[in-house]
């Protein structure tokens, strides 16, 4: 006889409802990508969908999170399903600096701690300025 393990922690309902997972699920339903009611068990539904239809799942994540992929017109999300060796977003490019620098925070972006304990910090504003100077 097997028993299901009990979770170590269950988030309160208000935290669940305010989560990115719930927002993503509602976004999918609003666009007709998932059936209404699928959000009642978002993790199980999304896991099943990601396994059964990975092209739709990963394509939707790119759209939801507004990932700035440069994709050739009509390029598939998944060029080959072979494992190992699957080809995701073939022909697409992504500028990592553009993605990282989309963050508009005012706080610390990078912390450097040297072996001797010396510490240095770089703010998001400084980081954007230094990257812009290099560009």
């Amino acid at each position: 006889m097997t028993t299901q393990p009990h979770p170590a922690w269950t988030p309160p309902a208000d935290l669940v409802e305010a989560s990115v997972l719930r927002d993503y699920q509602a976004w999918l339903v609003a666009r007709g990508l998932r059936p209404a009611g699928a959000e009642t068990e978002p993790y199980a539904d999304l896991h099943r969908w990601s396994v059964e239809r990975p092209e739709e799942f990963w394509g939707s994540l790119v759209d939801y999170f507004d990932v700035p992929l440069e994709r050739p017109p009509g390029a598939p999300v998944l060029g080959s399903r072979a494992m190992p060796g699957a080809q995701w977003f073939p022909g697409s490019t992504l500028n990592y600096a553009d993605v990282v620098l989309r963050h508009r925070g005012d706080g610390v972006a990078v912390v450097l701690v040297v072996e001797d304990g010396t510490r240095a910090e770089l703010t998001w504003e400084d980081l954007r300025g230094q990257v812009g100077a290099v560009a």
Side-chain angles (χ1 to χ4, degrees), residues 15-90:
L15 188 61
V16 171
E17 290 306 315
S19 70
V20 173
L21 180 62
R22 282 283 199 230
D23 187 66
Y24 171 60
Q25 191 68 17
W27 180 90
L28 290 168
V29 171
R31 281 156 184 77
L33 298 172
R34 302 300 302 142
E39 66 272 18
T40 59
E41 290 191 40
Y43 183 82
D45 176 66
L46 292 175
H47 179 261
R48 185 172 39 258
W49 187 41
S50 74
V51 172
E52 292 172 0
R53 305 192 71 149
E55 299 88 345
E56 291 176 11
F57 175 77
W58 288 102
S60 76
L61 283 175
V62 166
D63 293 341
Y64 175 77
F65 286 107
D66 194 26
V67 178
L69 277 180
E70 297 283 335
R71 293 177 65 189
V77 169
L78 184 56
S80 169
R81 286 182 177 229
M83 291 290 186
Q87 296 174 339
W88 293 96
F89 300 96

